[in-house]
Amino acid sequence: MQHLSIDIETYSSVNLQKAGVYKYAESPDFDILLFGYSVDGGAVHVIDLACGKKIPAEIVDALLDESVTKWAFNAQFERVCLSRYLRDNGVSLGGYCLDPVSWH
């Protein structure tokens, strides 16, 4: 895997425009509802996290792997939100957030 394209749908009671992405993602009621991804330009997969589905382990590994380029429309937003999701699900990030070096 060389490229991972990502799109997410989220919910938070915090106003993103007024508070910014960090406060938005740290809200107690923050949640990622849908996680869409494509590996190396292949088929698009959508995971319904709101219904209890989980991001596949190989995709979590790719999110943590700096050699895999992550593509997202608003990479900063997706990176911060996914960092919260991973922390909440017991994944050690080695810091507060996923490293931005491989995000575009």
Side-chain angles (χ1 to χ4, degrees):
M1 176 183 319
Q2 294 180 349
H3 302 278
L4 180 62
S5 299
I6 300 165
D7 189 24
I8 60 176
E9 294 299 324
T10 63
Y11 171 80
S12 176
S13 61
V14 172
N15 184 318
L16 178 61
Q17 292 178 330
K18 290 183 180 181
V21 66
Y22 290 100
K23 286 188 179 182
Y24 177 87
E26 290 304 322
S27 172
D29 64 358
F30 170 81
D31 204 5
I32 297 179
L33 307 173
L34 297 172
F35 177 81
Y37 70 95
S38 170
V39 174
D40 294 328
V44 173
H45 303 275
V46 179
I47 309 297
D48 190 344
L49 300 175
C51 287
K53 305 279 183 171
K54 299 288 184 190
I55 297 175
E58 63 271 12
I59 301 303
V60 171
D61 291 344
L63 289 169
L64 300 170
D65 186 345
E66 291 179 12
S67 71
V68 176
T69 303
K70 276 69 79 177
W71 295 92
F73 179 74
N74 187 346
Q76 169 72 358
F77 179 80
E78 275 86 350
R79 185 178 64 83
V80 171
C81 291
L82 285 166
S83 295
R84 164 75 190 271
Y85 171 85
L86 293 172
R87 285 193 321 270
D88 285 355
N89 285 279
V91 177
S92 176
L93 302 178
Y96 180 74
C97 276
L98 292 165
D99 192 323
V101 70
S102 62
W103 286 77
H104 299 276

